Amino acid sequence: MSDQSSDKQMQTPNAVRAYQREWIERTRQRVKQGEPFAICNGDDFEEILNVMDIPVIVINYWHALITTKKMDRYYQNILTERDYPATIFSMGLATTMDNKPEMAPWGGLPKPSIIIGGARQDTEMRILELWAREFGSVFWPIEYAIWHGIEKVPPPNWFERIRDHWDELVDPHKLDYRVQEQEKLIRYLEVSTGRKCSLPKLRQAIELVNEQMDYWRMARDLIAKTSPSPVSLRDQLSMYQVMWHRGTPHGRDFLKAYYEEVKDRVEKGITACPDEKIRLMWVNALGTPPLWGKWAEETYGAVCVTHNYMGIAVDSYARTILNDDPMRTLAAKYMMLFWTTPEWIAAQAKHSNCRAVVTVAGRQTKAAYEKAGIPMVSIPSERDDEATRAAISKFIESNLL
Amino acid sequence: MSAFEELQKHYLERDLAAQQWKKSGGKVAGYLCNNVPEEFLLAAGLFPLRLSGDPQGDTEKIGNYSEQGNVFSREGFVASILHMILQGKYDYLDYLIIPHARDSVHRLYTTLSYRQETEPDLKLPELYYLDNLHTKFYSAGIYNCERWLELKKQLEKWTGQKITDEKLSQAIAVTNENKSLLTKVADLRVADRPRISGFDALQIIGSSMFMHKKEHNKLLREYLSGEGDFPERDGIRLFVEGSPLDNLQLYEIIESCGATVVAEDNCWGNRSFDGPIDETGDPVEAVIDRYNNKAPCARMYPIGERIEYCLQNARAAKVQGAIFHVNRFDEMQAWEVPDEMKVLKENGIPSLYLKDQPYRIDDTEALRARISEFVKGISR
Ligand code: SF4
């Protein structure tokens, strides 16, 4: 941390954070002025809504805002009091049930014109049905969503196939059905909002997504082969917010600027963690940096240089348009985005020259990682507590020093 | 052995009939849930066996089955089925049909097919995934229909025999008779003075899924012919709503508290035999129509239909109270409970909500005390 050059703040992640604040404000104003407004889950339909210029809140993003405001406990209690399961996914519903806009981020969500609900999990469709009921809004169920588009477990190297050969991975009957479902929903939105969708616009959106992910890959690859790492994990992860703008020119431009900035840092030898001696990969569900990161760096020079979310961005979002059919291409992506396997995580860790993966997981997963060729440090929780530090210390001291 | 004892025996020894069938040279097709058209299996000359878990197995010790990434089966009964399959307890199955029902059932399929690919020595039945949608829209009906027809074709391939209309009509006659006999059982439970306990009824209904339906009909007819001698029961009339009950632990406890479970909304109880199949038209279409329109389980959209089903059945059974029993991890079921309790309350039916329940009930006494208090509260 002593190196002058490491103090240089990255500009693009800051610009993204600022843009995001501005976007939230703008969206809120638009909806206030009576524009149609949709709620849907991430990776379910948002590219199409973007193409139709219908402002949309992606549920997981809304949940992240609640968590950032540290309101999750509060909303989970609202659910428990009403005998509902207090899950992360249902916090949005809780904000509406609570009906105290002053407590919620944004001063509460405005009434949506539509809530779109997929069958990604047993409860997703139900929770969103209830949410729409709470608002008095239209609920639109969609049958096939991520995880349900495939019948067999994908081959271990799915991440090498998915961009160009997605048609091998997704079940064709389900895909036909999903395409029909998208067309029906688009028709409904066209009728109810007067906004339009078009094939060229969809095609362009997919191409922009692909470009965005290409820049992401190039940046990731530079970080992977540069030690000490030129970009902190925090900055890498904050770029993930641009996911909510994928398929737009500014979404692509942010990643282009990010790549150029990373390249510039590599050329100038600017590093994020100059004392880096041991490279690790951090795997968690929320896409947040490890709370014990600073301690590990100071104690062992152990730095988490990559995260499973970086792999998601690079490996799973791009799709080549096959048969000149962007609608079907998009549908396939909504049905099989990625499949987390130890093989995939191991490939990412090795690519970034990491010596181990750190995550909260059980014995079975540990064995599976080892089989895939990467050691796994299993920590008891995501907290930065004694038990977590002990597990990491034990592993590093007996295996890596 | 009385007819009831025979039925009971099949409920307890769930592989008995299937094993006998195998010995005489037949093939056994296992399935999960109740959206796999058994009529097709029967018409194909197969023995249909619904898979169930075993709370007395070491399931709880094993905890969650966690396989590849997103593949896991958390609800106790599904984890138990998975465990039993991997332990070879279902090694007599020739085929296993897994429908797209709740997530953990779906994942049972992905887990098994992954295992099959990565561990060639593992002996598993031939797997078949039966896709199925979670809404009842017109387009969903068409989609499901295509999937059921594919299953029919697959069965013909497996057995080398065509499922003719004639065979299918015969199978429909058998399952319809079963449904009507089980409806008689349901009627005797809801009589002003109930004549069959919930504990017995669950075994009678359950055994229909472990036996050949023809045999089951025979025993059931014999059992019901003695109806005049069934003793009358008194006590508080209860309705049970909640997670799948593939075992007797809960009813045993409830009925030891001076109550009778007169009806339930459960895929191992009354809901498993709703809606007879139309015998007048095209038999294939009739089977498909019934499976498209049968009473929904908690995985289905919309919630309104589920609430209506719960309310109608509780009211028709003239219950004095309802017990909501939801297993740990069964969120699908948990999400409908508040609405259902609300409408029951509006209709003067009080509820007891047992949430996050373990698949194997270990602390029987604590549960008995809660239920007992609830029952006493009603009788006051
Ligand atoms: S409730 Fe539905 S999904 Fe669950 S086991 Fe029963 S039939 Fe299957």
Side-chain angles (χ1 to χ4, degrees), chain B residues 98-376:
Chain B
I98 303 178
H100 179 199
R102 57 173 68 215
D103 283 353
S104 57
V105 170
H106 170 89
R107 284 168 183 153
L108 188 84
Y109 176 81
T110 44
T111 304
L112 288 176
S113 55
Y114 178 79
R115 287 287 189 102
Q116 201 167 43
E117 265 169 44
T118 52
E119 297 162 47
D121 292 342
L122 191 71
K123 194 185 161 278
L124 289 175
E126 192 170 332
L127 300 175
Y128 186 86
Y129 181 73
L130 176 64
D131 200 4
N132 209 278
L133 298 180
H134 291 203
T135 65
K136 288 184 169 185
F137 293 116
Y138 172 76
S139 53
I142 307 253
Y143 182 88
N144 288 343
C145 170
E146 285 165 9
R147 305 290 84 76
W148 283 319
L149 291 177
E150 281 167 5
L151 170 70
K152 185 170 162 274
K153 248 193 215 139
Q154 182 62 48
L155 295 169
E156 291 174 334
K157 218 165 115 195
W158 279 341
T159 59
Q161 281 180 40
K162 231 183 128 36
I163 299 179
T164 59
D165 282 1
E166 200 194 332
K167 283 186 198 159
L168 190 55
S169 298
Q170 282 163 6
I172 293 171
V174 171
T175 61
N176 271 355
E177 184 185 5
N178 197 247
K179 286 190 180 86
S180 95
L181 292 167
L182 288 171
T183 306
K184 280 202 185 119
V185 172
D187 290 345
L188 289 167
R189 292 172 71 189
V190 299
D192 286 340
R193 307 288 303 242
R195 313 278 296 285
I196 299 177
S197 68
F199 182 79
D200 288 351
L202 215 51
Q203 298 177 70
I204 296 167
I205 303 165
S207 57
S208 76
M209 299 179 246
F210 309 131
M211 292 178 71
H212 198 287
K213 285 274 188 303
K214 240 187 193 161
E215 291 303 309
H216 195 260
N217 286 347
K218 213 168 88 197
L219 287 176
L220 200 45
R221 254 182 269 128
E222 197 183 322
Y223 164 70
L224 286 170
S225 67
E227 176 205 327
D229 301 329
F230 293 175
E232 291 182 345
R233 292 180 61 91
D234 42 27
I236 297 296
R237 301 166 69 93
L238 292 181
F239 183 75
V240 171
E241 171 65 68
S243 296
L245 286 170
D246 62 5
N247 63 81
L248 299 169
Q249 306 167 94
L250 181 70
Y251 280 20
E252 192 172 10
I253 296 172
I254 295 176
E255 294 190 334
S256 74
C257 297
T260 297
V261 181
V262 292
E264 65 271 312
D265 171 9
N266 199 283
C267 61
W268 286 96
N270 283 349
R271 206 178 67 228
S272 67
F273 57 87
D274 76 300
I277 296 170
D278 179 13
E279 291 186 45
T280 57
D282 174 71
V284 177
E285 213 162 71
V287 168
I288 287 168
D289 194 55
R290 187 262 168 184
Y291 283 88
N292 260 332
N293 293 302
K294 66 182 198 52
C297 70
R299 76 188 171 98
M300 298 293 286
Y301 167 88
I303 192 170
E305 242 182 83
R306 290 285 307 138
I307 295 164
E308 191 59 23
Y309 185 84
C310 169
L311 176 65
Q312 291 312 330
N313 284 282
R315 275 177 52 174
K318 296 179 290 256
V319 296
Q320 295 160 281
I323 292 183
F324 287 79
H325 175 266
V326 178
N327 280 144
R328 193 183 293 152
F329 304 125
D330 190 354
E331 281 183 17
M332 186 177 102
Q333 199 71 49
W335 274 98
E336 57 179 42
V337 172
D339 273 30
E340 288 166 345
M341 290 205 303
K342 188 167 159 258
V343 293
L344 290 187
K345 195 174 167 199
E346 287 162 3
N347 281 272
I349 302 169
S351 297
L352 169 67
Y353 185 10
L354 305 169
K355 58 171 89 164
D356 286 329
Q357 296 298 302
Y359 177 51
R360 185 180 68 208
I361 303 172
D362 282 326
D363 198 347
T364 329
E365 288 321 307
L367 190 62
R368 200 188 314 275
R370 284 185 73 186
I371 295 173
S372 208
E373 202 191 303
F374 175 65
V375 171
K376 273 190 204 128

Side-chain angles (χ1 to χ4, degrees), chain A residues 380-391:
Chain A
S381 77
E382 293 209 7
R383 285 193 294 273
D384 177 24
D385 57 14
E386 232 167 86
T388 300
R389 289 186 180 192

